């Protein structure tokens, strides 16, 4: 028996050692942020110091950081710190500013975009090139690769790129699409060297090389990605020695890890975690209004909600202010009205008055007119997320109480949810949408008839006039002109009462107090070093 | 005995075939399109369709099934859609992490559970017996998720003694590695420790009441030798069965524990595979877990034969 026990002990210890060897270290912490922060966390942090590694926790596990393959914001967060785009959004997302391109202009027909490039940008040294100068050929290669291979069809509007000189390119579009510049800021369209992409092949997704402030040194599947400062970065030198992006899928554990100092930055906080971070010593809460819309879709293709009167009755029977207070007990969101977030330049406050107010009596009349005097039975689908489930529960009680509609709550996990919702099989479903401040990424994806069948327009919104206005907005090159079309489209959309837009959730991060200069962005993008941000660690 | 072992070994093949078929059907029955899940909510329709085509999801279910069977026979378990890597590589990467955690947990459980059970049996109805059996009852009914969170709150957040997430690395010294094992392995050991204590106690109670134990005692043999050598040896078979069962179910417990502690093991791999609708990975991980169950059972049976040669798996065949 003794022999067996000692043998087992030896096996276990050697396995433990062996298994431990491949693992990454838990690196120290500190983190930066971007943009648009309404509250600056640390007002007077003293002189920036060099050194230290920041640990940022991401709530999902990245599968690849090859720009053409990435699909989630959390992957984009790593990519933007390793590689650069031609142009980018300012930290406050108010306008597009130069990055690798110094200037650009658009032809009158909106089909040709000319970019002048910086001439002092080098790639990080990799396995297949030694840190050479970045030139126009690289822009052509990277953008055309994205146009052809992007999993998300990110650059589908791009036809081809012509190299004019070493530091000038012309991009030709298939048809005018003024969202092109915005799309160029996407992490999916960063500039990468051909040698590395072709050398690494599939494994490029774990060995991304770019022109950014940090380079990838280690990829630990399912656990973390380790970045180190790049010595030949063209911009301001980062204060940080490096950064670790660690994957922690459980919110509670992420908050706990922040409290223990194992991570410096906890992303996407909600619920009680917000309160815990607020009240804990040594932790700082940062929040900004997000580019986010929380909504309930109503099926426009079949069932009682096909009737506009029923949709209006449903909206009128819910006290949305009360609902928002009930869902977001820790003030994690603003009350919403329209299908765009107020942070988007297409937002039109005057349209808020078009939303039917809380009026149970009028709701009952409308139900009677529509022939549902006695109510009906329906279902709402939500993904298994606390804020959505609370919303559905509150909605359920309002509808039962005011218009005798029985709502069955179907709580399903994401894979099932997206399948049912996108195919129009749900009478109602609750979800949210967030993207760039450009209205294209909200209105085109959620209300253009070509997106019926995708999750964006799973409800089957189909209005030829809205399609036409969205098309015009895409062709116009002036922002003011585009805004005019989008506002017209938004008005028609709002008048359809096609959904209940109830909230704009905030972006909320928790930081340890040693993180300085972190600046939260409304699009959740994490920037550690840029022309506007340079995160450093105190202590 | 060799013949028995060989026979048991051959039985594994039809069992695994049934597992493969059932899991294939189930993964295809859960709603959700791997392509849509992979690309996320903002994916345009065309991108999702292109990816479906690329992944071969447009083929009929039966075509996919026969292709899958053919690949398995060739020893090819396929490629994970999500990680774009061979599932064999992913499993061999993650399994050692889960195995080491489970083994540490099972050893902790044995070190605590078996002696407590023995002492409780020898001191039946004593204060120790009551307390330890109440503790064991609490232990078996403990929700792992809650326990893990509480342990983190106390030992990581309040006392700052131990790390709360990840696996640590020997590169940072032995303590880094060991400290990362402590909370998850204790969390994982709770249910098996309690189970071992209960089963050891009842098995021992049965044995020490038997006549030959009384005889040994009356011969003046030291109590320690009577209990730990003679009684324990005969009480072992049911305990070994339970150890085997617990070893297999540790893998299930590891799913929760690994999620709580962000432990990069098989448990997390399986959970992620299911939520990502990563068909090849779900199929292979489940097949792998099934294989482990079967193998552990086989080992338990062999251990049984060894400890108690009277047990015969030929029984029931009539007159052999």
């Amino acid at each position: 028996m003794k022999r067996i026990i000692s043998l087992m002990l030896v096996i276990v210890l050697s396995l433990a050692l062996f298994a431990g060897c491949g693992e990454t270290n838990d690196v120290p912490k500190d983190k930066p942020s971007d943009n648009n922060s309404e509250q600056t966390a640390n007002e007077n942090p003293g002189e920036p110091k060099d050194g230290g590694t920041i640990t940022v926790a991401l709530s999902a596990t990245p599968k690849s950081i090859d720009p053409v393959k990435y699909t989630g914001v959390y992957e984009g967060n790593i990519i933007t710190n390793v590689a650069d785009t031609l142009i980018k959004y300012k930290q406050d997302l108010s306008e597009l500013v130069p990055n690798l391109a110094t200037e650009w202009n658009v032809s009158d027909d909106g089909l040709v975009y000319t970019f002048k490039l910086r001439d002092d940008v080098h790639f990080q040294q990799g396995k297949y090139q030694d840190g050479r100068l970045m030139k126009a050929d690289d822009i052509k290669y990277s953008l055309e690769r994205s146009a052809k291979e992007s999993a998300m069809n990110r650059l589908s509007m791009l036809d081809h790129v012509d190299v004019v000189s070493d530091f000038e390119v012309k991009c030709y579009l298939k048809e005018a699409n003024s969202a092109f510049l915005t799309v160029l800021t996407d992490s999916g369209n960063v500039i990468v060297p051909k040698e590395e992409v072709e050398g690494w092949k599939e494994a490029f997704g774990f060995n991304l090389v770019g022109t950014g402030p940090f380079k990838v040194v280690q990829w630990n599947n399912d656990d973390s990605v380790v970045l180190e400062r790049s010595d030949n970065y063209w911009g301001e030198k980062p204060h940080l020695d490096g950064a670790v992006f660690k994957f922690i899928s459980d919110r509670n554990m992420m908050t706990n890890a922040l409290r223990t100092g194992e991570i410096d930055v906890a992303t996407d906080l909600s619920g009680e975690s917000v309160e815990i971070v607020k009240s804990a010593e040594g932790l700082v809460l940062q929040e900004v209004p997000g580019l986010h819309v929380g909504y309930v879709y109503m099926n426009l293709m079949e069932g009682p909600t096909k009737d506009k009167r029923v949709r209006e009755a449903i909206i009128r029977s819910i006290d949305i202010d009360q609902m928002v207070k009930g869902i977001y007990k820790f003030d994690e969101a603003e009350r919403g009205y329209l299908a765009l977030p107020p942070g988007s330049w297409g937002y039109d406050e005057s349209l808020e008055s078009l939303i039917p107010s809380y009026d149970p009596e009028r709701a009952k009349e409308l139900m009677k007119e529509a022939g549902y005097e006695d109510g009906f039975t329906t279902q709402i689908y939500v993904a298994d997320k606390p804020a959505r489930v609370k919303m559905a529960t509150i909605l359920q009680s309002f509808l039962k109480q005011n218009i005798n509609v029985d709502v069955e709550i179907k709580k399903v996990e994401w894979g099932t949810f997206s399948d049912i919702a996108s195919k129009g099989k749900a009478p109602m479903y609750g979800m949210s949408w967030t993207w760039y401040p450009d209205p294209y990424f909200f209105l085109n994806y959620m209300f253009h008839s070509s997106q019926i069948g995708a999750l964006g327009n799973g409800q089957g919104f189909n209005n030829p006039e809205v399609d036409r206005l969205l098309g015009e907005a895409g062709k116009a090159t002036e922002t003011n002109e585009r805004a005019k079309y989008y506002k017209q489209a938004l008005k028609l959309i709002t008048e359809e009462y096609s959904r209940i837009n109830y909230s704009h959730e905030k972006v909320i991060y928790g930081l340890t107090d040693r993180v300085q200069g972190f600046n939260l962005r409304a699009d959740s993008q994490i920037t550690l070093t840029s022309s506007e941000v340079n995160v450093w660690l105190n202590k | 005995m060799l013949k028995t072992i060989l026979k048991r070994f051959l039985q594994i093949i039809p069992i695994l075939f049934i597992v493969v078929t059932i899991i294939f059907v189930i993964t295809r029955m859960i709603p959700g399109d791997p392509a849509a899940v992979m690309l996320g909510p903002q994916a345009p329709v065309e991108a999702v369709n292109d990816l479906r085509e690329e992944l071969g999801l447009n083929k009929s279910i039966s075509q996919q099934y026969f292709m899958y069977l053919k690949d398995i026979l060739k020893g090819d378990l396929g490629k994970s859609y999500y990680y774009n890597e061979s599932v064999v590589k992913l499993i061999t990467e993650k399994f050692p992490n889960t195995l080491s955690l489970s083994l540490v947990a099972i050893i902790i459980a044995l070190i605590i559970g078996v002696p407590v059970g023995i002492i409780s049996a020898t001191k039946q109805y004593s204060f120790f017996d009551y307390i330890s059996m109440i503790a064991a009852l609490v232990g078996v009914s403990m929700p792992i998720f809650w326990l893990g969170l509480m342990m983190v709150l106390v030992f990581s957040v309040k006392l700052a003694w131990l790390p709360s997430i990840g696996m640590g690395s020997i590169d940072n010294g032995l303590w880094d590695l060991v400290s990362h094992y402590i909370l998850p392995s204790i969390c994982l050991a709770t249910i098996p420790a309690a189970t071992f204590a209960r089963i050891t106690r009842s098995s021992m109670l049965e044995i020490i009441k038997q006549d030959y134990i009384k005889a040994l005692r009356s011969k003046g043999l030291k109590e320690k030798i009577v209990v730990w050598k003679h009684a324990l040896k005969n009480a072992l078979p049911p305990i070994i069965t339970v150890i085997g069962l617990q070893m297999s179910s540790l893998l299930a417990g590891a799913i929760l524990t690994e999620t709580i502690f962000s432990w990069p093991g098989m448990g997390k791999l399986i959970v992620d595979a299911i939520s990502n609708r990563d068909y090849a990975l779900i199929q292979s991980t489940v097949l792998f877990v099934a294989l482990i169950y079967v193998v552990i059972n086989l080992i338990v049976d062999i251990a049984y034969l060894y400890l108690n040669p009277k047990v015969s798996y030929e029984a029931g065949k009539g007159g052999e």
Side-chain angles (χ1 to χ4, degrees), chain A residues 12 16-17 19 23 25-26 61 63 71 151-152 202 221-222 248 250 253 260 262 413 415-416 419 434-435 454, chain B residues 31-32 38-39 42 47 82-85 93-94 97 103-104 107 152 163-165 168 170 172 180 260 268 277:
Chain A
V12 170
L17 286 177
E23 279 306 308
N25 322 349
D26 289 331
T61 305
K63 55 177 183 264
T71 55
M152 299 280 286
E202 294 275 304
N221 243 346
D222 240 8
I248 306 177
D250 186 80
M253 294 311 285
T260 62
E262 285 166 273
E413 55 77 79
T416 308
D419 195 37
T434 178
W435 218 334
Chain B
M38 269 176 79
L39 293 179
Q42 294 155 337
Y82 190 81
Y83 296 100
N84 203 10
E85 265 192 81
E93 209 174 84
K94 303 296 173 196
N97 298 349
L103 285 178
V104 172
I107 289 170
V152 167
S164 66
I165 44 159
I170 191 72
N172 300 343
H180 279 88
I260 305 172
K268 227 170 144 257
R277 298 291 184 276

Side-chain angles (χ1 to χ4, degrees), chain B residues 233-234 237 301-313:
Chain B
K233 193 186 169 195
N234 289 297
D301 289 349
I302 296 170
Y304 241 79
L305 279 176
Y306 173 77
L307 280 171
N308 188 357
K310 277 184 290 183
V311 177
S312 167
Y313 289 93

Side-chain angles (χ1 to χ4, degrees), chain B residues 15 79 93 97 112 125 192 218 230 270 274 279 307:
Chain B
I15 293 176
K79 208 167 153 188
E93 209 174 84
N97 298 349
I112 297 171
Y125 306 133
S218 60
H230 296 279
I270 296 175
I274 295 172
Y279 291 163
L307 280 171

